[in-house]
Amino acid sequence: MATKHVELDGKRIAYTDQTEFWVQVGRYNSAYKTRYAFTGNIHQAVAYYRALNVGLGYKKRLYAPSMNKPTLARMFS
């Protein structure tokens, strides 16, 4: 398994082909729910994350459960 590196919003992220990336959506104070899951393809996960529009109390995040700091990006209205 080769380690790959990418920079996302000024953070350097190391991942492998087995790393899972979740795009999650929630509303107000409710818990996040996973809408999309990608394995080993951070570029596709970021594309889906950026394509989601948030407004009227919605929130979204890009999450990688296997990492030490799992929340890679987050946005809320």
Side-chain angles (χ1 to χ4, degrees):
M1 259 189 298
T3 303
K4 300 175 186 176
H5 300 276
V6 69
E7 188 170 324
L8 176 65
D9 296 334
K11 293 188 257 182
R12 192 161 169 84
I13 300 168
Y15 66 99
T16 65
D17 292 336
Q18 303 301 317
T19 305
E20 286 189 7
F21 300 100
W22 298 347
V23 177
Q24 298 180 322
V25 176
R27 187 161 189 203
Y28 297 119
N29 293 329
S30 64
Y32 287 96
K33 294 181 181 157
T34 302
R35 295 266 309 260
Y36 305 100
F38 304 93
T39 303
N41 192 347
I42 192 170
H43 301 291
Q44 190 174 14
V46 169
Y48 272 82
Y49 170 78
R50 290 187 176 155
L52 286 174
N53 293 322
V54 292
L56 299 172
Y58 281 93
K59 56 189 178 179
K60 66 180 178 178
R61 74 177 172 183
L62 181 58
Y63 191 77
S66 63
M67 294 188 176
N68 290 338
K69 294 184 178 181
T71 303
L72 304 177
R74 183 175 65 153
M75 180 182 286
F76 50 92
S77 65

Coordinates of all heavy atoms in Angstrom, one line a residue:
M1 N 0.8 -1.2 0.0 CA 0.0 0.0 0.0 C 0.9 1.3 0.0 O 1.6 1.5 0.9 CB -0.9 0.0 1.2 CG -2.3 -0.4 1.0 SD -3.4 -0.1 2.4 CE -2.6 -1.2 3.7
A2 N 0.8 2.0 -1.0 CA 1.5 3.2 -1.1 C 0.8 4.4 -0.5 O -0.5 4.5 -0.6 CB 1.8 3.6 -2.6
T3 N 1.5 5.3 0.2 CA 0.9 6.4 0.8 C 0.9 7.6 -0.2 O 1.9 7.9 -0.8 CB 1.7 6.8 2.1 OG1 1.7 5.7 3.0 CG2 1.0 8.0 2.7
K4 N -0.2 8.2 -0.3 CA -0.4 9.4 -1.2 C -0.5 10.6 -0.4 O -1.1 10.6 0.7 CB -1.6 9.2 -2.2 CG -1.5 8.0 -3.0 CD -2.7 7.8 -3.8 CE -2.7 6.5 -4.6 NZ -3.9 6.2 -5.3
H5 N -0.1 11.8 -0.9 CA -0.3 13.0 -0.2 C -1.0 14.0 -1.1 O -0.8 14.1 -2.3 CB 1.1 13.6 0.2 CG 1.9 12.7 1.0 ND1 1.8 12.7 2.4 CD2 2.9 11.8 0.7 CE1 2.6 11.8 2.9 NE2 3.3 11.2 1.9
V6 N -1.8 14.8 -0.4 CA -2.6 15.9 -1.1 C -2.8 17.1 -0.1 O -2.8 16.9 1.1 CB -3.9 15.4 -1.6 CG1 -4.9 15.1 -0.5 CG2 -4.6 16.3 -2.6
E7 N -2.9 18.3 -0.6 CA -3.1 19.4 0.2 C -4.6 19.9 0.0 O -5.0 20.1 -1.1 CB -2.2 20.5 -0.1 CG -2.2 21.7 0.8 CD -1.1 22.7 0.6 OE1 0.0 22.2 0.3 OE2 -1.4 23.9 0.8
L8 N -5.3 20.0 1.2 CA -6.7 20.5 1.1 C -6.8 21.6 2.1 O -6.6 21.5 3.3 CB -7.6 19.3 1.5 CG -9.1 19.6 1.7 CD1 -9.6 19.9 0.3 CD2 -9.8 18.4 2.2
D9 N -7.2 22.8 1.6 CA -7.4 24.0 2.4 C -6.2 24.3 3.3 O -6.4 24.6 4.5 CB -8.7 23.9 3.2 CG -9.9 23.8 2.3 OD1 -9.8 24.3 1.2 OD2 -10.9 23.2 2.8
G10 N -5.0 24.1 2.8 CA -3.8 24.4 3.6 C -3.3 23.3 4.5 O -2.3 23.4 5.2
K11 N -4.1 22.2 4.5 CA -3.7 21.0 5.4 C -3.1 19.9 4.5 O -3.7 19.6 3.4 CB -4.9 20.4 6.1 CG -5.5 21.3 7.2 CD -6.5 20.6 8.0 CE -7.9 21.1 7.5 NZ -8.9 20.4 8.3
R12 N -2.0 19.3 4.9 CA -1.4 18.2 4.1 C -2.0 16.9 4.6 O -1.9 16.6 5.8 CB 0.1 18.3 4.3 CG 0.8 17.4 3.3 CD 2.3 17.8 3.2 NE 3.0 16.8 2.5 CZ 3.1 16.7 1.2 NH1 2.5 17.6 0.5 NH2 3.9 15.8 0.7
I13 N -2.6 16.1 3.7 CA -3.3 14.9 4.1 C -2.6 13.7 3.5 O -2.3 13.7 2.3 CB -4.8 15.0 3.7 CG1 -5.5 16.1 4.3 CG2 -5.5 13.7 4.0 CD1 -6.8 16.4 3.8
A14 N -2.3 12.7 4.3 CA -1.7 11.5 3.8 C -2.8 10.4 3.8 O -3.5 10.2 4.8 CB -0.5 11.1 4.6
Y15 N -2.9 9.6 2.7 CA -3.9 8.6 2.7 C -3.5 7.4 1.8 O -2.5 7.6 1.1 CB -5.3 9.1 2.2 CG -5.2 9.6 0.7 CD1 -5.7 8.8 -0.3 CD2 -4.7 10.8 0.4 CE1 -5.7 9.2 -1.6 CE2 -4.7 11.2 -1.0 CZ -5.2 10.4 -1.9 OH -5.1 10.8 -3.3
T16 N -4.2 6.3 1.8 CA -3.9 5.1 1.0 C -5.1 4.8 0.2 O -6.1 5.4 0.2 CB -3.5 3.9 1.9 OG1 -4.7 3.5 2.7 CG2 -2.4 4.2 2.9
D17 N -5.0 3.7 -0.6 CA -6.1 3.2 -1.4 C -7.2 2.7 -0.6 O -8.3 2.5 -1.1 CB -5.6 2.2 -2.4 CG -4.7 2.7 -3.4 OD1 -4.8 4.0 -3.7 OD2 -3.9 2.0 -4.0
Q18 N -7.0 2.4 0.7 CA -8.0 1.8 1.6 C -8.7 2.8 2.5 O -9.6 2.5 3.2 CB -7.3 0.7 2.5 CG -6.6 -0.4 1.7 CD -7.6 -1.1 0.8 OE1 -8.7 -1.4 1.2 NE2 -7.2 -1.4 -0.4
T19 N -8.2 4.1 2.5 CA -8.8 5.1 3.3 C -10.2 5.5 2.8 O -10.4 5.7 1.7 CB -7.9 6.4 3.3 OG1 -6.6 6.0 3.6 CG2 -8.4 7.4 4.3
E20 N -11.1 5.5 3.8 CA -12.5 5.9 3.4 C -12.7 7.4 3.7 O -12.3 7.9 4.7 CB -13.5 5.1 4.3 CG -13.7 3.7 3.9 CD -14.8 3.0 4.6 OE1 -15.6 3.7 5.3 OE2 -14.9 1.8 4.5
F21 N -13.5 8.0 2.8 CA -13.8 9.4 2.9 C -15.3 9.5 2.8 O -15.9 9.0 1.9 CB -13.2 10.3 1.8 CG -11.7 10.2 1.8 CD1 -11.0 9.4 0.9 CD2 -11.0 11.0 2.7 CE1 -9.6 9.3 0.9 CE2 -9.6 10.9 2.7 CZ -8.9 10.1 1.8
W22 N -15.9 10.1 3.8 CA -17.4 10.3 3.9 C -17.8 11.7 3.7 O -17.2 12.6 4.3 CB -17.9 9.8 5.2 CG -17.7 8.4 5.6 CD1 -17.3 7.4 4.7 CD2 -17.9 7.8 6.9 NE1 -17.2 6.2 5.4 CE2 -17.5 6.4 6.7 CE3 -18.2 8.2 8.1 CZ2 -17.6 5.5 7.8 CZ3 -18.3 7.4 9.2 CH2 -18.0 6.0 9.0
V23 N -18.8 12.0 2.9 CA -19.4 13.3 2.8 C -20.7 13.2 3.5 O -21.6 12.4 3.2 CB -19.6 13.7 1.3 CG1 -20.3 15.0 1.2 CG2 -18.3 13.7 0.5
Q24 N -20.8 14.0 4.6 CA -21.9 13.9 5.5 C -22.7 15.3 5.5 O -22.1 16.3 5.4 CB -21.5 13.6 6.9 CG -20.8 12.3 7.0 CD -20.3 11.9 8.4 OE1 -19.9 12.8 9.1 NE2 -20.4 10.7 8.8
V25 N -24.0 15.1 5.8 CA -24.9 16.3 5.9 C -25.7 16.2 7.1 O -26.2 15.1 7.5 CB -25.8 16.4 4.6 CG1 -26.8 17.5 4.7 CG2 -25.0 16.5 3.3
G26 N -26.0 17.3 7.7 CA -26.8 17.4 8.9 C -27.6 18.7 8.9 O -27.5 19.5 8.0
R27 N -28.5 18.8 9.8 CA -29.4 20.0 9.9 C -29.5 20.5 11.4 O -29.8 19.6 12.2 CB -30.7 19.8 9.3 CG -31.5 21.1 9.2 CD -32.6 21.0 8.2 NE -33.2 22.3 8.1 CZ -34.4 22.5 7.7 NH1 -35.2 21.5 7.3 NH2 -34.9 23.7 7.5
Y28 N -29.3 21.7 11.6 CA -29.4 22.3 12.9 C -28.5 21.6 13.9 O -27.3 21.4 13.7 CB -30.8 22.5 13.4 CG -31.6 23.4 12.6 CD1 -32.8 22.9 11.9 CD2 -31.3 24.7 12.4 CE1 -33.5 23.7 11.1 CE2 -32.1 25.6 11.6 CZ -33.2 25.1 11.0 OH -33.9 25.9 10.2
N29 N -29.1 21.1 15.0 CA -28.3 20.4 16.0 C -28.4 18.8 15.9 O -27.9 18.1 16.7 CB -28.8 20.7 17.4 CG -28.5 22.2 17.7 OD1 -27.5 22.7 17.3 ND2 -29.4 22.8 18.5
S30 N -28.9 18.4 14.8 CA -29.0 16.9 14.6 C -27.6 16.3 14.2 O -26.7 17.1 13.8 CB -30.0 16.6 13.5 OG -29.6 17.1 12.3
A31 N -27.5 15.0 14.3 CA -26.3 14.4 13.9 C -26.1 14.4 12.4 O -27.0 14.5 11.6 CB -26.3 12.9 14.4
Y32 N -24.8 14.2 12.0 CA -24.5 14.1 10.6 C -24.9 12.7 10.1 O -24.8 11.7 10.8 CB -23.0 14.3 10.3 CG -22.5 15.7 10.5 CD1 -21.9 16.1 11.7 CD2 -22.5 16.6 9.5 CE1 -21.4 17.4 11.9 CE2 -22.0 17.9 9.6 CZ -21.5 18.3 10.8 OH -21.0 19.5 10.9
K33 N -25.3 12.7 8.8 CA -25.7 11.4 8.1 C -24.8 11.3 6.9 O -24.7 12.3 6.1 CB -27.2 11.4 7.8 CG -28.0 11.3 9.0 CD -29.5 11.2 8.7 CE -30.3 11.2 10.0 NZ -31.6 11.7 9.8
T34 N -24.3 10.2 6.6 CA -23.4 10.0 5.5 C -24.2 9.9 4.2 O -25.2 9.1 4.1 CB -22.6 8.7 5.6 OG1 -21.8 8.8 6.8 CG2 -21.7 8.5 4.5
R35 N -23.9 10.8 3.3 CA -24.6 10.8 2.0 C -23.8 10.0 0.9 O -24.4 9.4 0.1 CB -24.8 12.2 1.5 CG -25.7 13.1 2.3 CD -27.1 13.1 1.9 NE -27.3 13.4 0.5 CZ -27.7 14.6 0.0 NH1 -27.8 15.6 0.8 NH2 -27.9 14.8 -1.3
Y36 N -22.5 10.2 1.0 CA -21.6 9.6 0.0 C -20.4 9.0 0.7 O -19.9 9.6 1.7 CB -21.1 10.5 -1.1 CG -22.2 11.3 -1.8 CD1 -22.6 12.6 -1.5 CD2 -22.9 10.7 -2.8 CE1 -23.6 13.3 -2.1 CE2 -24.0 11.3 -3.5 CZ -24.3 12.6 -3.1 OH -25.3 13.3 -3.8
A37 N -19.9 7.9 0.2 CA -18.7 7.3 0.8 C -17.8 6.9 -0.4 O -18.2 6.3 -1.4 CB -19.0 6.0 1.6
F38 N -16.5 7.3 -0.2 CA -15.5 7.0 -1.3 C -14.3 6.3 -0.6 O -13.9 6.6 0.5 CB -15.0 8.3 -1.9 CG -16.1 9.1 -2.5 CD1 -16.8 10.1 -1.7 CD2 -16.6 8.9 -3.8 CE1 -17.8 10.9 -2.3 CE2 -17.6 9.6 -4.3 CZ -18.2 10.6 -3.5
T39 N -13.8 5.3 -1.3 CA -12.6 4.6 -0.8 C -11.4 4.9 -1.6 O -11.4 4.5 -2.8 CB -12.9 3.1 -0.8 OG1 -14.1 2.8 0.0 CG2 -11.7 2.3 -0.2
G40 N -10.4 5.5 -1.0 CA -9.2 5.8 -1.7 C -9.1 6.9 -2.7 O -8.1 7.1 -3.4
N41 N -10.2 7.6 -2.9 CA -10.3 8.6 -3.9 C -10.7 10.0 -3.3 O -11.9 10.3 -3.3 CB -11.2 8.3 -5.1 CG -11.1 9.1 -6.3 OD1 -10.5 10.2 -6.2 ND2 -11.7 8.7 -7.4
I42 N -9.8 10.7 -2.8 CA -10.1 11.9 -2.1 C -10.5 13.0 -3.1 O -11.3 13.9 -2.7 CB -8.9 12.4 -1.2 CG1 -9.4 13.6 -0.3 CG2 -7.7 12.9 -2.1 CD1 -8.4 14.0 0.7
H43 N -10.0 13.0 -4.3 CA -10.4 14.0 -5.3 C -11.9 13.9 -5.6 O -12.6 15.0 -5.7 CB -9.6 13.8 -6.5 CG -8.1 13.9 -6.3 ND1 -7.5 15.1 -5.9 CD2 -7.1 13.0 -6.3 CE1 -6.2 14.9 -5.7 NE2 -6.0 13.6 -5.9
Q44 N -12.4 12.7 -5.7 CA -13.9 12.6 -6.0 C -14.7 13.0 -4.8 O -15.7 13.6 -4.9 CB -14.2 11.2 -6.4 CG -15.6 11.0 -6.9 CD -15.8 9.6 -7.4 OE1 -15.1 8.7 -7.2 NE2 -16.9 9.4 -8.2
A45 N -14.2 12.7 -3.6 CA -14.9 13.1 -2.3 C -14.9 14.6 -2.2 O -16.0 15.1 -1.8 CB -14.2 12.4 -1.1
V46 N -13.8 15.3 -2.5 CA -13.8 16.7 -2.4 C -14.7 17.3 -3.4 O -15.4 18.3 -3.2 CB -12.4 17.2 -2.6 CG1 -12.3 18.7 -2.7 CG2 -11.5 16.8 -1.4
A47 N -14.8 16.8 -4.6 CA -15.7 17.3 -5.7 C -17.2 17.2 -5.2 O -17.9 18.1 -5.4 CB -15.5 16.5 -7.0
Y48 N -17.6 16.1 -4.6 CA -18.9 15.9 -4.1 C -19.2 16.9 -2.9 O -20.3 17.4 -2.8 CB -19.2 14.5 -3.7 CG -19.7 13.6 -4.9 CD1 -18.8 13.1 -5.8 CD2 -21.1 13.4 -5.0 CE1 -19.3 12.3 -6.8 CE2 -21.6 12.7 -6.1 CZ -20.7 12.1 -7.0 OH -21.1 11.4 -8.0
Y49 N -18.2 17.0 -2.1 CA -18.3 17.9 -0.9 C -18.5 19.3 -1.4 O -19.4 20.0 -0.9 CB -17.1 17.8 0.0 CG -17.0 18.8 1.0 CD1 -17.7 18.7 2.2 CD2 -16.2 20.0 0.9 CE1 -17.7 19.7 3.2 CE2 -16.2 20.9 1.9 CZ -16.9 20.8 3.0 OH -16.9 21.7 4.0
R50 N -17.8 19.8 -2.3 CA -17.9 21.2 -2.8 C -19.2 21.4 -3.6 O -19.6 22.5 -3.7 CB -16.6 21.5 -3.6 CG -15.4 21.7 -2.7 CD -14.2 22.2 -3.4 NE -13.1 22.4 -2.5 CZ -11.9 22.4 -2.8 NH1 -11.5 22.2 -4.1 NH2 -10.9 22.6 -1.9
A51 N -19.7 20.4 -4.2 CA -20.9 20.5 -5.0 C -22.2 20.6 -4.1 O -23.2 21.1 -4.6 CB -21.1 19.3 -5.9
L52 N -22.1 20.2 -2.9 CA -23.3 20.3 -2.0 C -23.5 21.8 -1.6 O -22.6 22.4 -1.1 CB -23.1 19.5 -0.8 CG -23.3 18.0 -0.9 CD1 -22.9 17.2 0.3 CD2 -24.7 17.6 -1.4
N53 N -24.7 22.3 -1.7 CA -25.1 23.6 -1.3 C -25.6 23.5 0.1 O -26.5 22.6 0.4 CB -26.1 24.3 -2.2 CG -25.5 24.5 -3.5 OD1 -24.3 24.9 -3.7 ND2 -26.3 24.4 -4.6
V54 N -25.2 24.4 1.0 CA -25.8 24.4 2.4 C -26.5 25.7 2.6 O -26.0 26.8 2.1 CB -24.7 24.2 3.5 CG1 -24.2 22.8 3.4 CG2 -23.6 25.2 3.4
G55 N -27.6 25.7 3.3 CA -28.3 26.9 3.6 C -29.5 26.5 4.5 O -29.8 25.3 4.7
L56 N -30.1 27.5 5.1 CA -31.3 27.2 5.9 C -31.0 26.2 7.1 O -31.8 25.3 7.3 CB -32.5 26.8 5.1 CG -32.9 27.7 4.0 CD1 -34.0 27.1 3.1 CD2 -33.5 29.0 4.7
G57 N -29.9 26.4 7.7 CA -29.6 25.5 8.9 C -28.9 24.2 8.6 O -28.6 23.4 9.5
Y58 N -28.6 23.9 7.3 CA -27.9 22.7 7.0 C -26.4 22.9 7.2 O -25.8 24.0 7.2 CB -28.1 22.3 5.5 CG -29.5 21.7 5.3 CD1 -30.6 22.4 5.0 CD2 -29.6 20.3 5.5 CE1 -31.8 21.8 4.8 CE2 -30.8 19.7 5.3 CZ -31.9 20.4 4.9 OH -33.1 19.9 4.8
K59 N -25.7 21.7 7.4 CA -24.3 21.7 7.6 C -23.7 20.5 6.8 O -24.4 19.5 6.6 CB -23.9 21.6 9.1 CG -24.6 20.5 9.8 CD -24.4 20.6 11.3 CE -25.1 19.4 12.0 NZ -24.9 19.5 13.4
K60 N -22.4 20.6 6.4 CA -21.8 19.5 5.7 C -20.4 19.3 6.2 O -19.8 20.3 6.7 CB -21.8 19.7 4.2 CG -21.0 20.9 3.7 CD -21.1 21.0 2.2 CE -20.3 22.2 1.8 NZ -20.3 22.4 0.3
R61 N -19.8 18.1 6.1 CA -18.4 17.9 6.4 C -17.8 16.8 5.6 O -18.6 15.9 5.1 CB -18.2 17.7 7.9 CG -18.6 16.3 8.4 CD -18.4 16.1 9.8 NE -18.9 14.9 10.3 CZ -18.9 14.5 11.6 NH1 -18.3 15.3 12.5 NH2 -19.4 13.4 12.0
L62 N -16.5 16.9 5.4 CA -15.8 15.8 4.8 C -15.0 15.1 5.9 O -14.3 15.7 6.6 CB -14.8 16.4 3.7 CG -13.9 15.4 3.0 CD1 -14.7 14.4 2.2 CD2 -13.0 16.1 2.0
Y63 N -15.3 13.8 6.0 CA -14.9 13.0 7.2 C -14.1 11.8 6.8 O -14.5 11.1 5.8 CB -16.1 12.7 8.0 CG -15.9 12.1 9.4 CD1 -15.6 13.0 10.4 CD2 -16.1 10.8 9.6 CE1 -15.5 12.5 11.7 CE2 -15.9 10.3 10.9 CZ -15.6 11.1 11.9 OH -15.5 10.6 13.2
A64 N -13.0 11.5 7.5 CA -12.2 10.3 7.3 C -12.1 9.6 8.6 O -11.2 10.0 9.4 CB -10.9 10.6 6.7
P65 N -12.9 8.6 8.9 CA -12.9 8.0 10.3 C -11.6 7.3 10.7 O -11.3 7.2 11.9 CB -14.0 7.0 10.2 CG -14.2 6.7 8.7 CD -13.8 7.9 8.0
S66 N -10.7 6.9 9.8 CA -9.5 6.2 10.1 C -8.3 7.1 10.5 O -7.3 6.7 10.9 CB -9.1 5.3 9.0 OG -8.8 6.0 7.8
M67 N -8.5 8.4 10.3 CA -7.4 9.4 10.6 C -7.5 9.9 12.0 O -8.5 9.8 12.7 CB -7.5 10.6 9.6 CG -7.3 10.2 8.2 SD -7.2 11.6 7.1 CE -6.8 10.9 5.6
N68 N -6.3 10.4 12.5 CA -6.3 11.0 13.8 C -7.2 12.2 14.0 O -7.8 12.3 15.1 CB -4.8 11.4 14.2 CG -3.9 10.2 14.3 OD1 -4.4 9.1 14.6 ND2 -2.6 10.4 14.1
K69 N -7.2 13.1 13.1 CA -8.1 14.2 13.1 C -9.1 14.0 11.9 O -8.8 14.4 10.8 CB -7.4 15.5 12.9 CG -6.5 15.8 14.1 CD -5.9 17.2 14.0 CE -5.0 17.5 15.2 NZ -4.4 18.8 15.2
P70 N -10.2 13.3 12.2 CA -11.0 12.8 11.1 C -11.8 13.9 10.3 O -12.1 13.7 9.1 CB -12.0 11.9 11.7 CG -12.0 12.3 13.1 CD -10.7 12.9 13.5
T71 N -12.1 15.0 10.8 CA -12.8 16.1 10.1 C -11.8 16.8 9.2 O -11.0 17.6 9.7 CB -13.5 17.0 11.1 OG1 -14.4 16.2 11.9 CG2 -14.3 18.0 10.3
L72 N -11.9 16.6 7.9 CA -11.0 17.3 7.0 C -11.5 18.7 6.5 O -10.7 19.6 6.3 CB -10.8 16.4 5.7 CG -10.3 15.0 6.0 CD1 -10.3 14.2 4.7 CD2 -9.0 15.0 6.7
A73 N -12.8 18.8 6.4 CA -13.4 20.1 6.0 C -14.8 20.2 6.6 O -15.5 19.1 6.7 CB -13.4 20.3 4.5
R74 N -15.3 21.4 6.9 CA -16.6 21.5 7.5 C -17.2 22.9 7.1 O -16.5 23.9 7.1 CB -16.5 21.4 9.0 CG -17.9 21.4 9.7 CD -17.7 21.2 11.2 NE -16.9 22.3 11.8 CZ -17.0 22.6 13.0 NH1 -17.7 22.0 13.8 NH2 -16.2 23.6 13.5
M75 N -18.5 22.9 6.9 CA -19.2 24.2 6.5 C -20.6 24.1 7.1 O -21.2 23.0 7.0 CB -19.2 24.4 5.0 CG -19.9 25.7 4.6 SD -19.9 25.9 2.9 CE -18.2 26.3 2.5
F76 N -21.1 25.2 7.6 CA -22.5 25.3 8.1 C -23.0 26.7 7.8 O -22.3 27.6 7.6 CB -22.6 24.9 9.5 CG -21.6 25.6 10.4 CD1 -22.0 26.8 11.0 CD2 -20.3 25.1 10.6 CE1 -21.1 27.5 11.8 CE2 -19.4 25.8 11.5 CZ -19.8 27.0 12.1
S77 N -24.3 26.8 7.8 CA -25.0 28.1 7.6 C -25.6 28.6 8.9 O -25.8 27.9 9.8 CB -26.0 28.0 6.5 OG -27.0 27.1 6.9

